[in-house]
Amino acid sequence: MDFTPTEEQAAARELAARIFGDLSTHERLTAAGTGSDAELWKVLCEAGLPAAVEDIGLLGLVLLLEEQGRTTAQVPFAASCVYGLLAVSAHGSAEQRERLLPAIGDGTVVVTGALPEAAVRVGGSGELSGVVPVVPWLRDATHVLVADDEHSLWLVRTVDARCEPVELTAPWSAGRLTLDGTPGERLGGPEGDVEGIGAYDDVLATARTAFAGLQAGVCAGSVARAVDHTNTREQFGRPLATKQGVQLRAADAYMDTEAIRVTAYEAAWRRDEGLDYATHALTAAWWASEAGSRVVHAGQHLHGGMGADLDHPVHRHFLWGRQLDAYLGCGSEVLQELGELIVHGEGDA
């Protein structure tokens, strides 16, 4: 395996780092509150970053999401690329790809996802009924990818459904989705349609991998802030960073962050290479959930009393880390699913 970025991936990551670094500042995030930064999203789309994901693959997307996570930028980048661009690219019909991909790439169509499967039922003519209590970025979305109780995927226009605002731990512009005879557009078939992988399983594994990459960035940003703080904050005439306890805590957080990153890279690389990656995606999700929670707790703890300040930048990393932990599924749940996949021989070796 080779995780070395291609020229295109490296260029896209460099551009993303510059845009997120310039525009996702503490002041702008404070002004945005719990909503999204529409101007930042417009700049990202004009720069062609969402559209580039179709060419740079899932590993390229993971690299971009790391940069978003470092700054906790409040845009639906992960959701629209995973549930929209990559899902339609892999599983959409020729007509769906021609119609939707350009619009997702330029940001005029924003897609989010109601996965894993929800209590959604399908009528005889494809009407959907059911309630999904929490859908991240729903308030920004024009479409939502819904999984029914049979693991079929449907694209639903948000204007055809009822969407009510919901506040989460992190500012993800979430909402409650209510479907009541709502028309849906089928995406993918019930059988394995790409490399023997069904649409539902592929999109779910892709989402786990991508959001694990986002968590790697969130954790890296938290560690970077902790390092900066402990090197400049003095206690008894010495920087906090000179204390062994601080060094050990920061080292553990760094190693956890690297574990999240490398497992996300491996899962993404395998998907891009057309290899089985279901168990690798679950492994990345487990590290992102378990280790991610440890890292953001450590980052906040190493800030001492400042870490308890809700207005301090490191607190955003804590909120994002805990939200991603919940979104990916708690570590024990993910580990159980991983074990069952291995025992039943459904995963890769």
Side-chain angles (χ1 to χ4, degrees):
M1 64 190 72
D2 184 3
F3 304 150
T4 304
T6 64
E7 289 186 11
E8 293 78 7
Q9 289 171 339
R13 178 172 63 180
E14 182 180 348
L15 178 58
R18 185 164 65 250
I19 293 175
F20 284 127
D22 288 346
L23 296 183
S24 186
T25 62
H26 175 59
E27 293 73 22
R28 287 177 63 92
L29 289 168
T30 300
T34 61
S36 296
D37 189 333
E39 181 181 345
L40 173 56
W41 179 242
K42 180 180 179 182
V43 171
L44 290 167
C45 293
E46 289 177 345
L49 286 175
V53 172
E54 189 176 0
D55 296 320
I56 63 177
L58 182 55
L59 180 55
L61 175 59
V62 166
L63 296 174
L64 302 185
L65 293 178
E66 276 193 83
E67 301 306 327
Q68 178 186 0
R70 290 178 198 275
T71 60
T72 60
Q74 293 171 198
V75 287
F77 196 90
S80 200
C81 287
V82 168
Y83 300 120
L85 193 139
L86 289 178
V88 173
S89 178
H91 305 287
S93 65
E95 187 277 330
Q96 286 173 323
R97 292 195 297 271
E98 182 179 358
R99 170 167 48 90
L100 293 170
L101 289 179
I104 297 172
D106 66 22
T108 53
V109 167
V110 177
V111 185
T112 189
L115 272 71
E117 74 276 8
V120 174
R121 300 170 305 281
V122 184
S125 302
E127 304 92 355
L128 305 172
S129 298
V131 177
V132 185
V134 176
V135 180
W137 309 110
L138 183 63
R139 283 179 270 165
D140 296 334
T142 59
H143 295 69
V144 56
L145 187 65
V146 176
D148 65 26
D149 52 8
E150 298 292 331
H151 285 191
S152 296
L153 297 180
W154 303 83
L155 270 175
V156 174
R157 298 193 311 164
T158 53
V159 294
D160 295 330
R162 189 163 77 248
C163 305
E164 303 164 277
V166 172
E167 295 300 335
L168 300 181
T169 300
W172 283 9
S173 295
R176 174 187 176 92
L177 178 70
T178 301
L179 306 173
D180 186 9
T182 305
E185 178 181 359
R186 183 70 175 270
L187 185 72
E191 70 286 345
D193 53 350
V194 173
E195 299 291 341
I197 301 174
Y200 173 84
D201 291 331
D202 178 56
V203 172
L204 181 57
T206 299
R208 284 167 165 162
T209 304
F211 281 95
L214 183 61
Q215 180 77 300
V218 170
C219 291
S222 177
V223 171
R225 291 189 183 279
V227 168
D228 181 68
H229 174 77
T230 55
N231 273 289
T232 56
R233 183 78 168 182
E234 292 189 357
Q235 188 179 65
F236 306 117
R238 298 174 59 193
L240 290 172
T242 62
K243 299 183 181 299
Q244 189 178 46
V246 171
Q247 294 173 358
L248 291 173
R249 192 80 189 275
D252 286 342
Y254 173 81
M255 292 303 296
D256 273 338
T257 301
E258 289 301 297
I260 300 169
R261 176 182 289 116
V262 73
T263 51
Y265 282 6
E266 182 178 10
W269 176 83
R270 290 182 67 88
R271 182 188 188 274
D272 290 343
E273 292 296 313
L275 303 172
D276 292 336
Y277 74 110
T279 55
H280 295 78
L282 279 166
T283 301
W286 182 83
W287 274 105
S289 178
E290 285 282 294
S293 180
R294 288 197 299 267
V295 172
V296 295
H297 273 270
Q300 192 166 19
H301 187 203
L302 289 173
H303 278 76
M306 289 185 179
D309 183 356
L310 302 185
D311 295 324
H312 195 282
V314 77
H315 190 66
R316 293 192 185 92
H317 293 272
F318 177 78
L319 296 178
W320 275 68
R322 293 314 308 262
Q323 187 65 63
L324 282 163
D325 172 19
Y327 188 61
L328 288 166
C330 74
S332 59
E333 292 177 342
V334 175
L335 195 60
Q336 179 180 352
E337 185 177 348
L338 176 59
E340 291 173 350
L341 199 62
I342 294 173
V343 166
H344 294 132
E346 297 174 8
D348 38 276

